[in-house]
Amino acid sequence: MIQKMDEYISALLGANVSADDIEKTKAVIGSTKEVAEILDSPSVPLAEKENAINELFPRAIRETLVQISEDMCIADFAEVAKRYLAELDKKNNIANAVIRCVTEPTAEQLEGFKAFVCKETGAADAKIEIIKDASLLGGFTIDVDGRQYDRSLKTKLKSIKESVEKNAVSDNNIDAAGIISILKEDIKDFEFETKGEEIGTVISVGDGIATIHGLDTVMYGEIIIFESGVKGMVQDIKKNTVGCILFGSDDEISEGSRVKRSHKKAGVPVGEEFIGRIVNALGEPIDGKGDITADDYRLVEQPAPSIVDRKSVSQPLETGILAIDSMFPIGRGQRELIIGDRQTGKTSIALDTILNQKGKDCICIYNAIGQKASTVAKLVGDLEKHGALDYTIVVCATAADPASLQYIAPYSATAIAEYFMYKGKDCLIVYDDLSKHAVAYRAISLLLERPPGREAYPGDVFYLHSRLLERSSRLTPELGGGSITALPIIETQAGDVSAYIPTNVISITDGQIYLESDLFFSGQRPAVNVGLSVSRVGGAAQTKAMKKAAGSLRVDLAQFREMEVFTQFSSDLDADTKAQLQYGKGLMELLKQPLGNPMSLAHQVITLVVAIGKGFTDVPVEKIKKYQADLLDYFDDRYDDIIADINTQKVLDDSLRERILKAASAFKN
């Protein structure tokens, strides 16, 4: 519609149609219904329509009217005429202004308005349209060139009210006399807005998307404010319109609603008080524990640290999960993808990792995207139960929230994490999950009429996640040495890791932990697939003790799985093969770990040293977990010196290995 109007207006300007011809055309269209019926009817041949237009309308406008009769309803010519006359006035250096007021201005006031409009726009003359609006209470507003100059009593009273409320909040002990003194001061010092505000008009609204005309200089990503108080973020900029996503209900927004700029890009409040709290995607508390005092305000979209600002990943961020810390270590500043089908334990791994950060000076942020509110409530309950909420922030955009909030939530969570990173602290952030984030972005993009690509996702869906995950890094000591470690979660369908979104995120991250449904249902939990999982940082993110203890574990497991496949149908096996299978089954059993029980470094190292030293081969597979628990309790009780050496020195030399094996042998005997 807007694009077609541009074509019609260009054609009229090219034909140099006069204002008189436009008025005559409007008069003919409005004079009789028969004209509209002929021009709008699909059954009337185009030749007959052209004959009618040639008889009734001025020569300069005939060709454009033929186009309009083909493309749309002739009654829409009124809007075309209105916009053309405005363009004609602009061409002739005449400004058009709309004045809203309670009472009709006098002739002298009208001349003053004209002089003001000419001064602000630099026009030679001005046309003034007067609209009576009793809601202003007094004073007036002037709309000209997409800007509004507000000198109404309504705005004055609103400003005074906000000032009183702000002072009342900052001073809890304020009394009636104090409020009266504030009122007097505000009324005395109040000055009307002399700088024009850029104002837009809603053309259409629905499904959390609004299309706006008139915000010609608005920025991409800028927050705009509707009359109803609802905020939106500009996500689409075209020649004459902008598209924005809404952060609230669109019930009170309709065609013709007015919108003003905030001149601020989308951001969230950040600060120390957010630790231990649950907030929404806009940083507003939703846990019922009162307001949060922010220390700063950060934009949700920030550039990632440059290469020179980054330090290589060399410090481990231990998950407490033996299968991961031994074979696919995660370092501070790394991005490790957790990928698998629904209900295979992806969130459980992230939760255990958060629990394992207790007492390690690491701030954790759990970002729920599109999850059920009950699921998030259960997870928060688990965090509270283990005392992990004391160092955790939950940023929540549930399935009940609009797609716009689900889209912005991970960027908001990252902005909160960046506040701590640039203060030199280590952060862990879990995105649960980015599959739902991509779906929310796809919904927004389709509603904004962006062209769909593979699986109906827009072409920039890779950039959606790359610009998010690139912000996770470890900073150089000059910048404080802080870090953000990211654990994005992706849900696959029937184990299809070659789908569009999984392959995108795999190519962005520094490794992946692949959870397999078959392993999960066979009782192997965590159900980590040793063959498809990988850490591209590798041993650089391991302590020397863990690196040496893990030794040949991954190779041994790979050999076991290969041998298991080849021997599953064999009935007669030699002793060496049976021993190898027994050893492999023992390793798989040791890697099983119950939810909410992360292991310390010392316990992991002792388990691996004893296992690779064939200390569990004589134990029946079904009794291995019990034997392991008793063994570790034995070390805690009688060999606390070994535990202390591992935890403090983080080195496994030959003498320490011998001490561990000797103690394990003593326990066995």
Side-chain angles (χ1 to χ4, degrees):
M1 175 76 173
I2 295 284
Q3 190 175 353
K4 285 286 182 187
M5 280 195 178
D6 289 341
E7 292 174 11
Y8 302 145
I9 289 161
S10 297
L12 291 170
L13 286 168
N16 202 19
V17 179
S18 67
D20 287 342
D21 285 345
I22 294 289
E23 294 301 333
K24 285 176 188 175
T25 303
K26 285 169 66 178
V28 172
I29 291 171
S31 63
T32 173
K33 290 182 179 178
E34 283 77 5
V35 175
E37 286 174 1
I38 292 169
L39 296 181
D40 289 339
S41 175
S43 60
V44 176
L46 185 60
E48 287 187 31
K49 290 182 181 181
E50 289 179 1
N51 289 336
I53 289 169
N54 291 335
E55 287 178 20
L56 296 170
F57 298 104
R59 182 184 299 277
I61 207 166
R62 289 172 186 170
E63 190 176 334
T64 305
L65 283 175
V66 171
Q67 285 182 326
I68 291 173
S69 66
E70 285 184 66
D71 296 333
M72 62 186 199
C73 178
I74 200 69
D76 290 331
F77 178 76
E79 183 64 27
V80 176
K82 180 181 173 184
R83 287 193 53 195
Y84 173 69
L85 290 173
E87 289 292 328
L88 202 61
D89 286 338
K90 195 183 287 185
K91 189 178 177 183
N92 296 325
N93 201 21
I94 299 171
N96 281 276
V98 176
I99 294 179
R100 288 178 168 81
C101 52
V102 178
T103 56
E104 192 86 22
T106 64
E108 186 180 349
Q109 287 172 330
L110 204 56
E111 287 302 315
F113 286 143
K114 279 189 178 182
F116 174 79
V117 169
C118 291
K119 179 186 172 187
E120 289 295 319
T121 60
D125 197 6
K127 289 181 180 177
I128 305 290
E129 181 186 354
I130 306 294
I131 298 176
K132 288 190 177 182
D133 186 352
S135 69
L136 297 179
L137 304 177
F140 56 87
T141 66
I142 304 175
D143 292 356
V144 58
D145 277 353
R147 304 186 76 80
Q148 185 180 72
Y149 301 84
D150 194 338
R151 300 188 179 183
S152 66
L153 183 58
K154 178 183 176 182
T155 301
K156 178 178 180 178
L157 293 173
K158 183 182 176 184
S159 175
I160 292 172
K161 177 188 173 187
E162 288 173 354
S163 177
V164 171
E165 286 177 345
K166 184 179 178 183
N167 281 287
V169 168
S170 61
D171 187 356
N172 293 325
N173 299 320
I174 198 165
D175 55 9
I179 290 175
I180 290 169
S181 69
I182 292 168
L183 276 170
K184 284 180 179 177
E185 195 70 24
D186 282 338
I187 291 167
K188 185 178 79 173
D189 296 341
F190 185 84
E191 291 183 7
F192 281 108
E193 184 64 51
T194 55
K195 187 181 176 184
E197 274 193 306
E198 193 171 349
I199 300 292
T201 307
V202 175
I203 296 171
S204 62
V205 64
D207 297 317
I209 302 289
T211 305
I212 299 152
H213 176 68
L215 297 178
D216 295 333
T217 58
V218 74
M219 298 180 288
Y220 182 85
E222 184 178 338
I223 293 293
I224 54 177
I225 304 162
F226 294 81
E227 281 178 314
S228 62
V230 173
K231 292 180 180 178
M233 183 169 76
V234 174
Q235 281 290 287
D236 201 39
I237 297 179
K238 294 178 180 172
K239 184 178 178 183
N240 293 299
T241 62
V242 296
C244 84
I245 56 177
L246 303 177
F247 292 143
S249 171
D250 59 10
D251 292 345
E252 295 180 30
I253 302 171
S254 59
E255 187 177 342
S257 294
R258 297 161 75 72
V259 193
K260 67 178 181 180
R261 292 179 60 189
S262 69
H263 300 278
K264 280 192 347 182
K265 286 203 165 190
V268 288
V270 293
E272 298 284 342
E273 287 192 18
F274 280 81
I275 299 173
R277 301 297 299 271
I278 305 166
V279 297
N280 64 13
L282 302 176
E284 299 163 343
I286 55 174
D287 53 6
K289 295 180 182 177
D291 293 337
I292 300 173
T293 304
D295 298 333
D296 200 356
Y297 180 88
R298 284 189 70 87
L299 299 181
V300 297
E301 296 271 15
Q302 294 273 10
S306 65
I307 296 296
V308 294
D309 291 337
R310 295 171 184 249
K311 193 176 187 301
S312 60
V313 175
S314 59
Q315 291 182 346
L317 186 135
E318 291 152 348
T319 65
I321 300 169
L322 182 61
I324 295 172
D325 289 344
S326 59
M327 293 183 284
F328 322 107
I330 299 170
R332 300 199 175 205
Q334 189 176 341
R335 300 152 300 175
E336 184 80 0
L337 173 63
I338 302 172
I339 186 168
D341 283 6
R342 186 173 174 273
Q343 296 292 323
T344 51
K346 300 185 296 297
T347 303
S348 300
I349 285 180
L351 178 62
D352 273 2
T353 307
I354 291 173
L355 298 183
N356 198 51
Q357 303 316 307
K358 191 169 187 176
K360 296 183 179 177
D361 196 24
C362 180
I363 293 162
C364 301
I365 297 168
Y366 177 78
N367 176 214
I369 311 163
Q371 305 291 324
K372 289 189 293 185
S374 58
T375 305
V376 180
K378 183 179 180 302
L379 184 131
V380 170
D382 289 340
L383 291 173
E384 281 184 311
K385 177 181 163 187
H386 292 89
L389 205 58
D390 297 340
Y391 54 86
T392 304
I393 304 165
V394 178
V395 181
C396 189
T398 64
D401 288 325
S404 54
L405 290 179
Q406 292 182 42
Y407 159 64
I408 203 174
Y411 299 103
S412 301
T414 308
I416 294 171
E418 283 176 332
Y419 169 78
F420 294 105
M421 177 177 75
Y422 284 105
K423 283 190 169 291
K425 297 184 179 179
D426 292 312
C427 296
L428 167 69
I429 184 164
V430 177
Y431 303 105
D432 192 7
D433 65 77
L434 292 187
S435 304
K436 293 183 178 69
H437 182 231
V439 168
Y441 184 63
R442 175 172 64 183
I444 289 169
S445 298
L446 292 174
L447 289 166
L448 288 169
E449 299 180 359
R450 291 176 181 167
R454 179 177 165 188
E455 295 180 29
Y457 288 105
D460 64 341
V461 74
F462 179 88
Y463 181 57
L464 174 80
H465 290 147
S466 63
R467 74 177 190 264
L468 172 70
L469 294 171
E470 283 296 327
R471 290 161 70 178
S472 298
S473 63
R474 185 180 174 205
L475 299 179
T476 58
E478 292 77 17
L479 290 173
S483 70
I484 296 177
T485 308
L487 294 180
I489 294 175
I490 287 286
E491 184 180 299
T492 54
Q493 306 290 328
D496 184 13
V497 291
S498 63
Y500 190 27
I501 301 302
T503 49
N504 275 355
V505 183
I506 285 171
S507 64
I508 297 165
T509 49
D510 307 312
Q512 69 272 351
I513 297 163
Y514 178 61
L515 304 180
E516 192 176 351
S517 299
D518 291 344
L519 283 173
F520 184 84
F521 295 127
S522 68
Q524 185 70 33
R525 300 174 187 181
V528 179
N529 183 309
V530 178
L532 293 179
S533 301
V534 67
S535 170
R536 296 189 184 95
V537 174
Q542 276 180 315
T543 59
K544 291 181 179 178
M546 178 59 77
K547 191 187 296 187
K548 197 163 183 181
S552 61
L553 177 63
R554 193 167 180 182
V555 174
D556 291 346
L557 284 171
Q559 288 175 346
F560 161 70
R561 293 198 65 174
E562 189 176 350
M563 189 177 294
E564 190 180 35
V565 171
F566 278 110
T567 59
Q568 60 183 330
F569 299 115
S570 302
S571 56
D572 189 19
L573 299 174
D574 61 86
D576 288 345
T577 304
K578 284 180 181 177
Q580 188 72 23
L581 286 172
Q582 182 70 13
Y583 172 60
K585 286 175 182 175
L587 290 180
M588 292 296 286
E589 193 67 22
L590 283 171
L591 294 181
K592 291 181 181 178
Q593 201 167 327
L595 177 62
N597 283 278
M599 294 174 68
S600 68
L601 173 65
H603 282 184
Q604 289 181 344
V605 169
I606 290 167
T607 299
L608 290 171
V609 168
V610 175
I612 292 173
K614 305 293 173 71
F616 292 100
T617 49
D618 297 336
V619 184
V621 172
E622 63 275 7
K623 293 183 179 179
I624 280 182
K625 289 306 292 181
K626 174 74 168 61
Y627 186 89
Q628 179 197 14
D630 293 341
L631 174 68
L632 295 176
D633 288 342
Y634 177 75
F635 269 86
D636 288 339
D637 291 340
R638 300 198 184 183
Y639 293 94
D640 52 353
D641 56 324
I642 293 178
I643 301 281
D645 285 350
I646 296 171
N647 284 332
T648 54
Q649 296 175 18
K650 302 186 190 311
V651 174
L652 179 66
D653 53 26
D654 291 339
S655 65
L656 184 56
R657 184 191 292 274
E658 287 301 318
R659 285 165 62 197
I660 292 170
L661 291 174
K662 189 175 178 181
S665 178
F667 170 76
K668 188 174 185 179
N669 294 330

